[in-house]
Amino acid sequence: MSAINDGVGGADRGKWSSPLEFVLSCLSYAVGLGNVWRFPYLCYRNGGGAFLVPHTIMLFLAGLPLFFLELVVGQYSSLGPSEAFKMMAPLFQGLGLATLVVIILVTIYYHIIIAWTILYAFDSFKAELPWGSCAHEFNTENCFSQLEDLKCIDGENTRSGWYGYDTTDPISEALVLGWNTSDTVTLVESHPLMTFWNQSCHSVVSLCSSKGLFALPNNRTHCFNSTAPNAAAVSLHSLLGRVLSSEEYYSRFVLGAGFGADWEHWGGMQWRVLVCLFAAWAIAAICLIKGVASAGKVMYFTALYPYVVLFALLIRGATLEGAADGIFYYINPQWETLSKAAVWGDAASQVFYALGLGCGSLVTLSSYSNFNNNCHRDAVIVTIVNCLTSILAGFSIFAILGFLAHHMGVSVPDVVQSGPGLAFVAYPEAVLHMPQPQLWAVMFFFMLFCLGLGSQIAGLESITTAIMDKWPSLRAHKAWVGIGTCACCFVAGIPMCFEGGVYLFTLLDWNSAAWSILIIGIAETVLVGWVYGPNCFLHNISEMGMNLPTAVKWYWKSCWVVMSPLLLLGILIFSLYEFTPAYYGTYFFPEWVNGIGWLLGAVSVIPLPVLALYRIYKRQERGMELLRPTEDWGPAHLREKVAIKDVYLESKFNCVEYDNAACEFDIIDSRGEHI
């Protein structure tokens, strides 16, 4: 019982102030940036609404069962994953360490997104939002500004200030168009069509003719190969290679991509991002100073505020012209995509990513709950709210994409490049068209900051808890443990602040939270469903006061024993079979880089076999003892009671020869019960 005497799982770990605080903490952890920027871009990449089908199936057959499983393990044992899984079955000692490796990798690269939100938030206070203009030195001639284009349209009836258009000879334009000059001179003079290109306004006619094509009246978004009614159309967007100003701001100014950096030439430091990254880690460290006592209070705001902004953006997006087309693309399922294993792999990955499964954070959060907390109710609430939030964010972003597609004359998938930057392109673009855009921009990016910080606090709590569970004496120095953890992660994240940093970010995102967490999820279900036993696990649940109906028990048992492990195993096999090497935009990473990516994924699961072999080699347990709970496994208050009794008996034995009366005293455990 030495681990107990050292304070593992003891009362000094701290507790949530209320059950609501725990629910909001789980909600703040689960509902994060993945719902806003990852779920929509996966829908975007996998054909829109069809992605909702595998996502929902994965949610209820794998996501929810694992979510509830992790909450039960943490609440029942009052331990972090590194200790809890080891006590459930010594052979699975590496499972806790595997989750720790995953959360460390995710925490390091995830925080760079928070740094981007801080940079955007500061720039939102400028008189002119910088991502709405093409007048910056980092912009290219392909830059397309919606705001400038609207100015060109507003000036169509004003002859002065046009570029690339011969205003003195409307007859020549009519000839280019192929119209009858006698009928169209008046039309050309009174209804010229203008659009923004290369920092100024140009006539659609001149742009089309420069490409050897024709323009037609009342169409400013396309050029045609003839003037016939059935002429083939080509969008000006693709013809001119236009790139949204908000996309250039994100890729060229914030990330520094596009200036020649690659894996061999990492480029210069993006000092603005580095300063913002330092600020992000400093804020996280402040939130961790008092452990759950301070982190729990932060969750009240980070969990609720984002919904105010998301609903506001949805309402505004739905009122924009073309929004219906984007929403239709979102909800219209393309069933043929369901035959692709990659779609199912993305769905499983998103469920794990959004709910934070396989990272140990849920075990950590629930380890601070009261023993009789109804975590079954909490698991269902958080999972459903998480799913609805992803769908809500999808409606918001696709409404905006529909508006952009309508205005640019392209299809929804052609608006911007899909990827993590989708939320840093489509949402900021929508903000430009809202009244008081600076105010909305600040609110939006502060929302992203809150979403990211809420998830990060839970992840950091998992790391610091693992440290303090391993060395309980450090609990007296929680603040320094948190500060030291944040400092180390900050240093590890510095390479992502260079111009080539987005490539490292992409590599980490591609590999650290993909196939490795599927293996961890399989290991967790095998541990509970086949080693520890579903009946014993359900008995532990009833010990905590959760009396589940028989049908519900059968649902959990069937998921833990059969459906979840088989489903995850199938997705893992197909995902590995159809695995695509990492790339960013049109830049495909070298083979040696993808080798590093595989290594990053492998590092997350290597602890499982290595520590299992180590446990067998140590021979502390023999045979079936490796698959049975240790004597330390169980509720914290029972371990505490046993430990106090040991101390009492030892004290009584030592003082018998001096004064038996001195040993007559009551011992009361942490729940106020006499021992």
Side-chain angles (χ1 to χ4, degrees):
M1 302 293 288
S2 59
I4 305 303
N5 292 325
D6 288 340
V8 174
D12 59 335
R13 295 179 83 253
K15 293 289 183 182
W16 297 112
S17 300
S18 66
L20 178 61
E21 196 171 278
F22 168 66
V23 173
L24 291 177
S25 297
C26 288
L27 194 61
S28 184
Y29 168 66
V31 178
L33 291 171
N35 300 81
V36 176
W37 66 261
R38 202 170 191 270
F39 179 83
Y41 103 73
L42 286 177
C43 282
Y44 188 94
R45 190 172 75 183
N46 292 301
F51 186 71
L52 296 175
V53 176
H55 180 267
T56 303
I57 293 175
M58 288 295 174
L59 186 70
F60 288 99
L61 295 185
L64 179 57
L66 279 170
F67 194 94
F68 183 42
L69 181 154
E70 293 189 1
L71 292 190
V72 171
V73 170
Q75 181 172 307
Y76 184 76
S77 64
S78 295
L79 294 169
S82 58
E83 295 295 326
F85 290 126
K86 178 177 66 176
M87 292 182 183
M88 288 185 72
L91 195 65
F92 284 76
Q93 179 178 350
L95 183 55
L97 182 57
T99 63
L100 184 62
V101 173
V102 169
I103 196 59
I104 290 174
L105 292 175
V106 171
T107 298
I108 290 172
Y109 87 81
Y110 195 93
H111 222 75
I112 196 71
I113 307 174
I114 301 178
W116 298 339
T117 66
I118 294 176
L119 178 57
Y120 269 88
F122 274 105
D123 281 352
S124 299
F125 286 98
K126 295 181 178 179
E128 180 182 285
L129 294 177
W131 56 84
S133 171
C134 290
H136 307 288
E137 62 179 10
F138 58 82
N139 289 127
T140 67
E141 68 172 11
N142 295 331
C143 179
F144 176 72
S145 168
Q146 293 270 13
L147 295 181
E148 295 297 330
D149 196 51
L150 290 174
K151 292 178 182 179
C152 293
I153 295 173
D154 290 340
E156 284 178 352
N157 295 320
T158 304
R159 306 290 290 184
S160 62
W162 292 350
Y163 299 87
Y165 177 68
D166 183 4
T167 61
T168 63
D169 188 11
I171 301 297
S172 65
E173 178 171 348
L175 292 174
V176 171
L177 289 170
W179 301 339
N180 186 308
T181 58
S182 61
D183 297 332
T184 59
V185 170
T186 302
L187 178 64
V188 173
E189 288 181 327
S190 59
H191 299 285
L193 300 180
M194 307 295 293
T195 190
F196 182 79
W197 164 248
N198 195 15
Q199 309 295 328
S200 59
C201 297
H202 294 260
S203 72
V204 175
V205 169
S206 64
L207 292 176
C208 289
S209 63
S210 68
K211 301 294 183 180
L213 299 173
F214 297 89
L216 296 181
N218 300 322
N219 192 321
R220 64 167 49 85
T221 60
H222 288 77
C223 297
F224 299 83
N225 64 352
S226 73
T227 58
N230 60 346
V234 181
S235 71
L236 273 174
H237 177 71
S238 59
L239 193 65
L240 301 176
R242 283 172 168 173
V243 179
L244 282 172
S245 56
S246 55
E247 186 168 357
E248 283 205 348
Y249 175 83
Y250 169 69
S251 63
R252 296 179 65 84
F253 178 74
V254 176
L255 302 183
F259 294 102
D262 55 29
W263 279 98
E264 286 76 22
H265 305 89
W266 208 235
M269 173 67 74
Q270 294 290 96
W271 293 104
R272 296 173 297 270
V273 178
L274 180 64
V275 172
C276 291
L277 182 64
F278 177 81
W281 278 114
I283 295 170
I286 292 172
C287 295
L288 290 174
I289 284 179
K290 293 185 179 180
V292 294
S294 58
K297 303 300 182 291
V298 176
M299 301 296 189
Y300 279 98
F301 186 79
T302 60
L304 301 176
Y305 169 75
Y307 290 97
V308 177
V309 181
L310 277 178
F311 275 108
L313 285 171
L314 175 61
I315 294 171
R316 175 54 182 165
T319 61
L320 296 172
E321 190 176 10
D325 295 333
I327 293 175
F328 178 76
Y329 180 87
Y330 176 53
I331 64 177
N332 180 39
Q334 300 176 25
W335 300 113
E336 64 274 11
T337 61
L338 299 182
S339 62
K340 300 178 181 178
V343 174
W344 292 85
D346 281 345
S349 173
Q350 172 58 20
V351 167
F352 271 69
Y353 190 96
L355 292 177
L357 303 173
C359 300
S361 297
L362 292 171
V363 178
T364 300
L365 291 176
S366 62
S367 71
Y368 296 107
S369 293
N370 292 322
F371 184 72
N372 297 113
N373 178 58
N374 190 345
C375 63
H376 182 267
R377 171 203 59 204
D378 299 341
V380 174
I381 290 175
V382 173
T383 302
I384 292 177
V385 171
N386 179 275
C387 179
L388 294 177
T389 304
S390 296
I391 295 174
L392 170 65
F395 273 106
S396 299
I397 200 167
F398 275 91
I400 295 166
L401 290 175
F403 160 72
L404 297 177
H406 174 81
H407 189 74
M408 298 167 65
V410 297
S411 61
V412 173
D414 295 329
V415 177
V416 293
Q417 294 182 4
S418 62
L422 190 60
F424 291 95
V425 175
Y427 279 111
E429 191 69 31
V431 167
L432 294 171
H433 301 276
M434 302 178 74
Q436 299 180 324
Q438 285 80 3
L439 174 62
W440 282 102
V442 171
M443 291 177 62
F444 171 72
F445 289 111
F446 186 59
M447 176 200 73
L448 290 186
F449 173 79
C450 290
L451 288 171
L453 185 64
S455 299
Q456 284 295 80
I457 289 175
L460 289 167
E461 278 290 347
S462 181
I463 298 172
T464 57
T465 296
I467 294 172
M468 290 184 289
D469 278 353
K470 182 65 177 178
W471 298 284
S473 60
L474 292 177
R475 290 185 185 144
H477 309 284
K478 290 180 180 178
W480 289 110
V481 173
I483 292 172
T485 300
C486 291
C488 292
C489 291
F490 165 70
V491 173
I494 290 178
M496 285 180 282
C497 297
F498 286 80
E499 291 176 353
V502 66
Y503 304 139
L504 178 58
F505 170 86
T506 302
L507 189 70
L508 286 168
D509 180 47
W510 205 281
N511 294 278
S512 62
W515 55 271
S516 58
I517 58 175
L518 293 176
I519 294 177
I520 292 175
I522 293 171
E524 288 182 353
T525 56
V526 169
L527 172 59
V528 170
W530 291 88
V531 177
Y532 187 76
N535 291 329
C536 291
F537 202 66
L538 288 170
H539 177 70
N540 295 155
I541 294 172
S542 65
E543 286 183 75
M544 294 185 287
M546 290 171 278
N547 297 314
L548 306 179
T550 302
V552 175
K553 289 182 178 179
W554 275 106
Y555 165 71
W556 293 124
K557 288 176 66 174
S558 61
C559 285
W560 293 329
V561 175
V562 180
M563 289 190 290
S564 295
L566 286 181
L567 189 61
L568 293 176
L569 181 61
I571 295 299
L572 174 65
I573 293 173
F574 282 110
S575 297
L576 293 176
Y577 178 74
E578 296 193 359
F579 184 81
T580 303
Y583 62 89
Y584 179 79
T586 58
Y587 175 49
F588 286 83
F589 298 167
E591 291 185 6
W592 66 268
V593 173
N594 286 304
I596 294 176
W598 279 99
L599 181 61
L600 288 171
V603 166
S604 304
V605 296
I606 282 177
L608 284 167
V610 170
L611 290 184
L613 294 174
Y614 172 77
R615 201 79 186 192
I616 294 172
Y617 173 77
K618 289 255 315 186
R619 306 188 73 178
Q620 290 180 336
E621 300 87 11
R622 296 175 180 270
M624 293 303 296
E625 291 180 355
L626 290 166
L627 301 175
R628 293 172 181 166
T630 67
E631 61 178 7
D632 293 337
W633 170 251
H637 65 271
L638 295 181
R639 297 199 305 271
E640 182 182 336
K641 181 181 290 187
V642 172
I644 293 176
K645 281 184 176 181
D646 290 343
V647 173
Y648 168 71
L649 293 174
E650 183 178 354
S651 300
K652 188 169 184 177
F653 176 79
N654 290 337
C655 66
V656 164
E657 59 181 300
Y658 296 101
D659 182 5
N660 288 336
C663 297
E664 299 299 328
F665 54 86
D666 284 338
I667 301 178
I668 301 177
D669 65 16
S670 61
R671 299 199 304 172
E673 296 180 355
H674 290 270
I675 299 177

